[in-house]
Amino acid sequence: MIDDENDEDILNKSVSLKKVMKNILLILLIGVGALFIYLGGENQTTNFMIGFSLICLGTSLIQIQKQKTEPIRQTLTILACNLCNITNVRHYEHGDYVFKEIGSCDKCNESMRIKQIYNVKLKKPTIQTKKSDEKKKKEEEKVKA
Ligand SMILES: [Zn+2]
């Protein structure tokens, strides 16, 4: 078990090193793009176009990376009863919008409406992914053996 944790530590470190390397490469890409624009040269418009597209590529790749590294965001929907004002919180579902009528109240059977939809940042996801479940099963098997 202890050995397993150490392996994970090393894995995390190499992943973060890869991320740093990628970021450096992207910054270099943008830098080269900027150089093309500043230096100009014989064919200024072509160099400007090359530089501009390099910068665009670099910045959009950084954006994609940021989205991937922040997966732990969750959208929640708050439901409220029309009559007794009881509120219910659940995960956002496709097609949810504010004031949409959804289901009925547990207490008075009056229809419930979506009161608010908001995005929260979480340290850990509340819904466990399949991967972590499989990992747990493996660990349990190891303990048994
Ligand atoms: Zn109610």
Side-chain angles (χ1 to χ4, degrees), residues 80-86 104-112:
C81 173
N82 288 334
L83 215 70
C84 61
N85 261 339
I86 270 182
S104 51
C105 175
D106 289 335
K107 220 177 180 183
C108 62
N109 251 2
E110 198 32 60
S111 60
M112 291 188 97

Side-chain angles (χ1 to χ4, degrees), residues 33 36-37 39-52:
F36 264 103
I37 291 171
L39 293 176
E42 281 178 28
N43 204 336
Q44 268 200 331
T45 32
T46 319
N47 283 342
F48 183 83
M49 289 302 284
I50 292 167
F52 189 72

Side-chain angles (χ1 to χ4, degrees), residues 27-44:
I27 289 161
L28 274 175
L29 196 72
I30 294 166
V32 170
L35 268 177
F36 264 103
I37 291 171
Y38 279 118
L39 293 176
E42 281 178 28
N43 204 336
Q44 268 200 331

Side-chain angles (χ1 to χ4, degrees), residues 55-70:
I55 289 170
C56 281
L57 190 73
T59 46
S60 56
L61 281 174
I62 286 171
Q63 283 295 318
I64 291 165
Q65 271 197 332
K66 272 185 185 168
Q67 280 170 6
K68 273 184 185 171
T69 50
E70 282 177 33

Side-chain angles (χ1 to χ4, degrees), residues 128 130-143:
Q128 276 200 328
K130 268 190 177 179
K131 265 191 179 175
S132 63
D133 276 352
E134 276 169 17
K135 213 179 178 186
K136 264 187 189 173
K137 269 183 192 171
K138 272 185 186 172
E139 275 178 8
E140 275 169 18
E141 276 167 17
K142 266 187 192 173
V143 171

